[in-house]
């Protein structure tokens, strides 16, 4: 079939004929119908500061139909509609059995591994030479092979060209708000960073019933769009001489009830924590920081009963919870269309 192959870092992808091997035990081969572009694909394609693994097929935010299954696969069958997910759920490890975690021991994200777990080999090849996988999904291909634990079976009525974007960024931001920050009805929420994940976090705060949703971004052009996702007001740190956490404290009589940080910038992370109200404020970190970054704040910020949390994929267990997120869309509780900027053939 055809696939977009990255031969080396930062060089344009090229459309190649690739061979996709049959699925082995506990693997699934999926026909990818729609794939979205997430910033993480770009980040690892540039390979500035990560391990370069090339040639490689990127892509991890997608929707497709199961074409065939390997030995031992019982959860999905050919014809099922699925969303591939960059982090898995084996359902057997301590994390999967815990109601509090989604960090599967076997299948959590591994950005350096370019092969399948079972035999350490790639399922993609060109003229017999292996092409490496990306985060267990590699959706920039007409067919891909994944571990069954990275495949969420969803309602076949759901339009795959829309719900494909739920397999990464939108679920991450949405879950950060509704599963982790859990803003009470009528509360005030600050969202740091208004990219796709931040907009999804705003949407989650809106669904939860927050009364004020304050968007913080250095790019004022994002503010108008963010209103569609529930943001009620905006702060551009460049417009102020004092630190953002002080600006927010003044706006909200001492601090916001919840904050969700979606930038990966270490200063934004510190601001997101320090801007929540003492006594009950909760800050949730979503963005992935630079590998050398350090978080520095005064311990009194904790002793004054502020809570700092992190989240991974919005605390959703992919196979268990993603079908329910798709149902939120089907019931019109979650609008997905507004996240899609454009569609290309």
């Amino acid at each position: 079939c055809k696939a977009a192959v990255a031969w080396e870092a930062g060089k344009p992808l090229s459309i190649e004929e690739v061979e996709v091997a049959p699925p082995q035990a506990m693997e699934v081969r999926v026909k990818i119908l729609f794939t979205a572009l997430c910033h993480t694909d770009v980040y690892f394609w540039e390979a500035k500061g990560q391990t370069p693994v090339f040639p490689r097929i990127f892509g991890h935010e997608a929707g497709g139909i199961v074409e065939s299954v390997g030995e031992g696969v019982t959860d999905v069958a050919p014809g099922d509609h699925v969303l591939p997910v960059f982090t898995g759920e084996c359902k057997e490890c301590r994390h999967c059995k815990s109601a509090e975690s989604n960090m599967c021991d076997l299948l959590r994200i591994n950005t350096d591994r370019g092969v399948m777990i079972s035999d350490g080999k790639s399922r993609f090849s060109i003229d017999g030479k292996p092409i490496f996988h990306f985060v267990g999904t590699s959706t920039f291909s007409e067919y891909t092979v994944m571990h069954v634990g990275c495949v969420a079976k969803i309602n076949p009525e759901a339009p795959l060209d829309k719900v494909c974007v739920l397999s990464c960024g939108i679920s991450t931001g949405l879950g950060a708000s509704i599963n982790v920050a859990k803003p009470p009805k009528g509360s005030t929420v600050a969202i740091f960073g208004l990219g796709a994940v931040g907009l999804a976090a705003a949407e989650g705060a809106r669904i939860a019933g927050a009364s004020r949703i304050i968007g913080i971004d250095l790019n004022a052009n994002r503010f108008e769009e963010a209103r569609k996702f529930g943001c009620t007001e905006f702060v551009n740190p460049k417009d102020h001489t004092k630190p953002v956490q002080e600006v927010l404290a003044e706006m909200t009589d001492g601090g916001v009830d919840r904050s969700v940080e979606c930038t990966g910038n270490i200063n934004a992370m510190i601001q997101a924590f320090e801007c929540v109200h003492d006594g009950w404020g909760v800050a949730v970190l979503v963005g992935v920081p630079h590998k050398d970054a350090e978080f520095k704040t005064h311990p009194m910020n904790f002793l004054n009963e502020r809570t700092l949390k992190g989240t991974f994929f919005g605390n959703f267990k992919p196979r268990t919870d993603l079908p329910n997120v798709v149902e939120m869309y089907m019931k019109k509780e979650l609008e997905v269309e507004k996240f899609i900027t454009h569609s290309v053939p």
Side-chain angles (χ1 to χ4, degrees):
C1 69
K2 287 192 168 64
V5 177
W7 289 101
E8 51 186 301
K11 293 284 160 64
L13 307 186
S14 78
I15 305 297
E16 307 280 357
E17 287 278 325
V18 299
E19 282 189 33
V20 185
Q24 304 296 311
M26 300 310 287
E27 294 174 5
V28 179
R29 189 160 61 183
V30 174
K31 180 176 187 176
I32 298 292
L33 297 182
F34 300 94
T35 186
L37 178 64
C38 169
H39 196 272
T40 306
D41 296 307
V42 179
Y43 187 64
F44 283 90
W45 165 71
E46 290 172 339
K48 296 173 182 168
Q50 307 88 24
T51 311
V53 182
F54 294 96
R56 195 173 213 181
I57 296 172
F58 285 106
H60 64 281
E61 197 172 276
I65 296 176
V66 174
E67 178 267 340
S68 58
V69 301
E71 189 189 330
V73 172
T74 54
D75 279 22
V76 293
D80 284 347
H81 286 219
V82 295
L83 300 181
V85 188
F86 63 88
T87 185
E89 181 186 353
C90 73
K91 300 194 174 182
E92 299 295 324
C93 70
R94 284 174 66 194
H95 282 278
C96 286
K97 287 182 171 170
S98 160
E100 296 178 26
S101 175
N102 66 342
M103 310 265 302
C104 175
D105 277 329
L106 180 69
L107 299 168
R108 73 172 67 176
I109 188 170
N110 182 330
T111 55
D112 292 348
R113 187 176 59 230
V115 292
M116 299 304 287
I117 288 176
S118 62
D119 61 0
K121 293 180 180 165
S122 171
R123 301 289 175 261
F124 298 111
S125 62
I126 295 179
D127 298 330
K129 294 192 180 113
I131 307 293
F132 294 112
H133 295 247
F134 177 61
V135 296
T137 52
S138 291
T139 62
F140 291 174
S141 175
E142 291 178 309
Y143 288 86
T144 188
V145 175
M146 293 175 283
H147 191 286
V148 66
C150 296
V151 175
K153 179 180 169 180
I154 62 161
N155 182 343
E157 302 290 309
L160 285 171
D161 62 327
K162 306 288 190 292
V163 297
C164 64
V165 295
L166 295 175
S167 69
C168 178
I170 295 177
S171 295
T172 296
L174 184 76
S177 283
I178 59 179
N179 295 338
V180 188
K182 298 180 180 168
K185 255 194 173 31
S187 59
T188 302
V189 180
I191 309 287
F192 285 75
L194 298 173
V197 176
L199 294 174
E203 181 83 350
R206 181 188 69 75
I207 291 168
S211 62
R212 292 176 72 186
I213 302 173
I214 306 166
I216 297 112
D217 202 296
L218 295 166
N219 180 357
N221 296 336
R222 289 177 159 182
F223 293 164
E224 209 38 57
E225 190 68 17
R227 285 187 198 283
K228 297 180 198 166
F229 299 84
C231 282
T232 55
E233 51 214 287
F234 303 96
V235 173
N236 186 335
K238 290 194 285 201
D239 296 342
H240 300 274
T241 49
K242 58 176 73 165
V244 173
Q245 50 272 56
E246 287 179 29
V247 175
L248 289 165
E250 283 172 16
M251 288 171 66
T252 56
D253 189 23
V256 297
D257 302 306
R258 301 288 186 267
S259 70
V260 185
E261 183 284 324
C262 306
T263 69
N265 177 295
I266 192 65
N267 294 322
M269 292 180 172
I270 294 164
Q271 291 160 354
F273 175 54
E274 294 182 353
C275 80
V276 299
H277 206 291
D278 56 6
W280 61 78
V282 178
V284 178
L285 305 186
V286 182
V288 179
H290 188 275
K291 65 180 180 2
D292 301 325
E294 291 183 344
F295 189 101
K296 291 179 181 171
T297 191
H298 197 281
M300 278 312 295
N301 288 323
F302 291 100
L303 296 173
N304 286 335
E305 300 184 9
R306 292 177 182 86
T307 300
L308 178 63
K309 289 181 163 187
T311 178
F312 176 71
F313 193 53
N315 214 225
F316 285 121
K317 291 181 185 278
R319 294 156 87 185
T320 302
D321 297 333
L322 267 194
N324 303 330
V325 179
V326 170
E327 291 312 310
M328 284 175 71
Y329 166 75
M330 297 299 279
K331 293 179 195 150
K332 299 192 164 45
E333 293 165 13
L334 169 66
E335 287 180 58
V336 167
E337 283 83 357
K338 60 190 178 185
F339 286 99
I340 297 170
T341 52
H342 44 280
S343 302
V344 292

